[in-house]
Amino acid sequence: MGRILDAISSPADIKVLTDGELAILAQEIREQIIATASHTGGHVASSLGAVDIILAVHSLIDSPKDRFVFDVGHQAYAHKLITGRRDAFDTLRQFGGISGFPRPDESPYDVHHSGHASDSLSIALGLAKARDLRGSDEKVVALIGDASLAGGMAFEALNTIGQLQLPVVIILNDNEMSISRNVGALVRHLGAIRSSASYRQARDQSQERLEESAFGRAVVNFGRSAKDSIKQFFVPDTMMFEQLGILCTPPIDGHNIPAMRAILKTALDSDGPVLMHVVTKKGKGYAPAVADPERFHGVGTFDIATGSSTKKLSGPQSYTEVFGKALVREARADEHIVAITAAMQSGTGLKAFAKEFPDRFIDVGIAEENAVGMAAGLALSGLKPVVAIYSTFLQRAIDQMIIDCALPKSNVVFAIDRAGIVGEDGPTHHGVYDITYCRMVPGMRVLAPSNEAELACALHTALRLEGPVAVRYPRGTGVGEQVPDRPTMLVEGESSVVREGSDAAVLAFGDRVAPALQAAEELAEEGVSVRVVDMRWVKPLDEQAIVEAAETKLVVTVENGIISGGAGEGVLQVLAKRGLSAPVRVLGIDDLNVPHGKPDKLLADLGIDAKGIAAAIRAGLQ
């Protein structure tokens, strides 16, 4: 007997399915997600948890006319499977294949380029306002997790949604998780709603108010008629969403498709904003993901039977691990050091720090602006905050970096993880802008260590300098360099010549030092002598090293970041200031959005791997 999934080519096909058939389809989708992600990797736990919500929504809306907006988008695998991408699903996150996130250029069913948290409500608000201005009648539904809802942008959107009273349905996917377990007062608020023992009193107090609207009457009537569900239907008087002017349902089982459809059908007909509070289990349907949702949030290849990783674990430490261990060592010697992250305790390597120094560790949730603003306040009080955030997410706090940290010259260290190309998560996650946005900040110093030992020394140095300092390092494993037990201070603005040469000079930044050395070795076999300089500092640049490089026949700069405003442009500025006219090749990422794929493939296509660097030198010396 064939699968129901094999007969689904668009959301229209699921509208004719019975509740029982939708339940079967949900199971088939989960099996397909697990089977595919086991050999491609991906966001397994979040996508498994959202399957039933996605089926309920698509069974009632007319997509793509109606607009289904995803927050972050890593939970959208079921959406992809029923919107014409089933046959391509085995290419998930692979170069040239389908993205792991919604992409309008991939499918008309994808509304916007999802990838960063907390933006869905603003997008939905804009779509709803545009609908009203045009006089059209499409429905707008936004799916947002409880972790994303804690982000400042989401609260700003809620404020305006409540003010304008535009018809829009917000589905709050409450699973108590982001990547790490959620933190904060909002989480406690939602937990109280889920577990309140005084539901009868709250129900009685709110029933009269609910019955004042058609949607509210439907909620009450559904609660009365649904078997064993009456205890779930209460809306506490203190419900924050209602106070904002947004009608909110009581908690609904997010894995009960009939229950969700019954409420959603009425919500879609409401003449104002409605928030459906839907409770789900992250990893639903796959025991290893339920047991360890943090690991299966974004997992590599794995064995389906056990859930264990199939990736070889031997080899050098990752840069994230090196940073985490180095920070713990520094904190043991200095009680002023405080670590801050934004829902990335594990991802930024801070688990050990949090365990050893719980009072000096702060996870602010998905709220990067708050993280950096708090760091500024800590620094004003004489502490030494280290803000550990992925490059792609730190760009959300540029204003706080400039005004709150750089303007008062606060002693804040930015540990910028996942700097450069990150791979399969694609353009919303590549950390390619941090060199530019850090270089433009007055007084900011920027370190780009080229190996594990330099990372430990860079952190040691950053913690001892006055004013804001950024340390950028890539995703993945290091080059195998031994990390010193006692890291040394790096001289500010001083580079290191790691290979001598006279024909050309490569000024390499961060993780591009290793491929630059490989290129030099390749060219040496052709009789070309290439100097390689580990620049170490993006800002301030080593001007003497740049002047000396200009004495060769060709200067090549190479960085894992965008060229515009990058380190290579900084080198050109130095040469212009000195009145030097040496031929220069600037290698990096041009004016484009880099797609998803294996990092090695992407770096090769960008011409910033060893072969690309060697080719640029050959061309420049002709």
Side-chain angles (χ1 to χ4, degrees), residues 50-83:
V51 170
D52 307 296
I53 296 175
I54 290 168
L55 290 181
V57 172
H58 273 304
S59 72
L60 293 174
I61 67 171
D62 182 17
S63 179
K65 175 195 172 186
D66 293 334
R67 317 292 268 168
F68 190 7
V69 182
F70 287 86
D71 199 280
V72 183
H74 54 18
Q75 75 280 57
Y77 291 179
H79 166 78
K80 287 178 177 280
L81 281 166
I82 64 171
T83 53

Side-chain angles (χ1 to χ4, degrees), residues 160-464:
T160 307
I161 289 170
Q163 174 191 357
L164 298 182
Q165 287 294 296
L166 296 171
V168 61
V169 177
I170 302 166
I171 300 178
L172 170 58
N173 180 14
D174 180 5
N175 62 18
E176 304 180 76
M177 293 288 294
S178 48
I179 294 179
S180 301
R181 187 160 292 280
N182 288 338
V183 297
L186 179 61
V187 174
R188 291 196 299 271
H189 177 72
L190 295 175
I193 296 171
R194 288 192 301 268
S195 60
S196 174
S198 58
Y199 69 89
R200 291 185 182 86
Q201 180 182 359
R203 180 198 64 203
D204 293 340
Q205 290 175 343
S206 58
Q207 180 170 316
E208 181 178 346
R209 180 158 48 89
L210 276 170
E211 291 181 332
E212 292 175 356
S213 69
F215 176 74
R217 288 193 294 273
V219 169
V220 172
N221 290 335
F222 181 83
R224 286 171 175 157
S225 61
K227 183 180 179 181
D228 296 328
S229 66
I230 191 69
K231 70 176 65 176
Q232 296 297 321
F233 284 82
F234 64 93
V235 182
D237 263 354
T238 57
M239 191 71 177
M240 55 176 283
F241 308 109
E242 297 245 329
Q243 293 172 351
L244 288 171
I246 301 170
L247 188 59
C248 180
T249 75
I252 304 166
D253 182 355
H255 303 300
N256 185 330
I257 295 176
M260 285 189 290
R261 279 170 47 85
I263 298 298
L264 178 59
K265 186 175 182 179
T266 307
L268 288 167
D269 292 332
S270 175
D271 60 359
V274 177
L275 185 145
M276 289 179 57
H277 183 177
V278 177
V279 180
T280 63
K281 175 66 70 174
K282 198 169 183 180
K284 170 74 173 178
Y286 186 47
V290 172
D292 193 355
E294 185 170 348
R295 174 172 166 256
F296 276 90
H297 172 85
V299 69
T301 58
F302 60 92
D303 176 70
I304 295 176
T306 64
S308 58
S309 174
T310 56
K311 183 179 179 180
K312 294 181 180 179
L313 299 178
S314 58
Q317 297 180 82
S318 71
Y319 283 101
T320 300
E321 290 174 314
V322 171
F323 162 74
K325 293 176 181 178
L327 186 60
V328 167
R329 287 195 299 269
E330 296 286 349
R332 287 171 181 163
D334 188 346
E335 63 182 11
H336 294 89
I337 293 174
V338 178
I340 306 172
T341 192
M344 296 280 185
Q345 178 184 147
S346 178
T348 56
L350 291 177
K351 270 196 166 182
F353 187 101
K355 183 177 180 180
E356 186 164 342
F357 309 105
D359 293 339
R360 293 156 59 187
F361 171 76
I362 306 163
D363 183 349
V364 300
I366 300 177
E368 291 82 7
E369 297 117 311
N370 179 37
V372 177
M374 176 185 290
L378 290 165
L380 287 173
S381 300
L383 298 177
K384 296 181 180 180
V386 177
V387 183
I389 298 177
Y390 291 3
S391 170
T392 186
F393 301 137
L394 183 59
Q395 64 201 35
R396 308 182 82 175
I398 291 174
D399 182 67
Q400 288 71 29
M401 294 177 72
I402 297 171
I403 303 301
D404 298 325
C405 297
L407 185 59
K409 300 179 181 178
S410 298
N411 298 334
V412 177
V413 175
F414 296 93
I416 306 179
D417 201 333
R418 269 65 166 180
I421 295 298
V422 298
E424 293 86 347
D425 283 342
T428 56
H429 283 63
H430 293 313
V432 298
Y433 305 106
D434 61 86
I435 288 179
T436 296
Y437 68 68
C438 286
R439 278 191 71 237
M440 74 179 186
V441 177
M444 178 75 74
R445 273 72 54 80
V446 186
L447 279 153
S450 63
N451 57 51
E452 304 95 314
E454 281 199 359
L455 173 54
C457 293
L459 177 62
H460 183 77
T461 302
L463 285 165
R464 285 155 181 79

